[in-house]
Amino acid sequence: MPPATLTPVFVGMRTGLHVLVTGLTTLVVVRAVLTPGPTRAVVVVLALAWFLLYCAGGAVGRRARTTLPVRLWLLALTLGWIAMVWLEPEPAYLVFPLFFVYIHLLPRRAGTITVFATTAVAIVALGLHGGWSVAGAVGPFIGACVALLLGRGYQALAREAREHEELVAQLVETQGRLAATERESGVLAERARLAREIHDTVAQGLASIQLLLHAAERADPERGLEHVRLARETAATNLAETRRFIRELAPPSLDEREIGGVLRRLARSQWHAEGLDVDVHVPDGLDLPMHVQTALLRIVQGAVANVVKHAGTRSVAVTITRDAGSVTLTVADDGIGFDVAETRARDDAGRSDSFGLRATRERVEQLDGTLLVESAPGHGTTLTVVLAVQP
């Protein structure tokens, strides 16, 4: 089967070959009928039988399971042609379409040898019938060379087209695998985002409620009631955020608010109840896209949660500044600090229990921002995030 891209070319060449064979066979028959001689009846019968044998070649090629029937068909065609040129010179012209049949059906070396062998037969036949001449030798030889060039050129073109189709098929397959990989990456990214959102909202809210209830157990009744009230408010806020989170809307704490006011509200209520003194430095009227405000809020919540769990301090400073093309968030505490390199190594190896810092890093990377964590044992921690924003 030829490549699909060359099907019109193949059909055109095959049709042209059939027309050529039909025309030359008709010429042989007509010349034999019009030229008186003892062999004309034999030539007419041989020419018609040879033409019918040629037409039967299509059925032989379709039904043959091996190359043997095809080889026998070629041998019969060749012997029939030799018999005709032995009797009359005109059938020698039929060798030209035979060249293409040999080139197409025989292996490369066998086809070339057969072409030049039948060329030699044609030259000898023309010389015996009409006398030896340069034209009688050069004509068949040039025809053989032209047929070889055309046949090999078509085979090379078919081979290149087949390779091109294979490359296209591989490209389509690769695109399919790439699309599947992208879908899988999207699923994994969505899972990571959900994990960060749950950690920054539900998990932190539950942790705050737990701390407040523990404080209520240890406090006097009046103070304990205040802790219970704050725990109830935190639970209500957490429930509202969970519902909005499920509906994939903006966090409710940012609805129609600016991030500075939200952070100050959290500092006065939730974080103060947890025993933290959070100093918020955010200019009023800070204009930031909603997704940037959401990211900054979640980063601050994660950082403050880490301070509560690990820093061993009651003082935290949150600062947000903006210039022409970026916004910078800084969260600093004066706690016990930690070894940044060691924590990063454990995080990369999957042995770290600091999910909040890992979630912060992933969130910053998704926004093409930069994250810098500066800390040392006994010297506190400073977390700096820079995100690009449109001026």
Side-chain angles (χ1 to χ4, degrees), residues 3 5 157-171:
T5 53
L157 183 62
R159 185 168 53 253
E160 291 181 1
R162 190 174 295 109
E163 292 174 355
H164 176 73
E165 288 186 349
E166 291 176 356
L167 288 175
V168 171
Q170 292 176 2
L171 178 61

Side-chain angles (χ1 to χ4, degrees), residues 329-353:
L329 164 68
T330 302
V331 181
D333 67 72
D334 56 357
I336 61 175
F338 62 95
D339 189 327
V340 177
E342 181 183 352
T343 302
R344 182 60 186 267
R346 291 202 311 269
D347 190 30
D348 292 339
R351 301 193 305 268
S352 175
D353 58 355

Side-chain angles (χ1 to χ4, degrees), residues 279-292:
D279 192 7
V280 178
H281 302 279
V282 180
D284 294 332
L286 183 61
D287 184 18
L288 293 173
M290 180 58 69
H291 73 281
V292 175

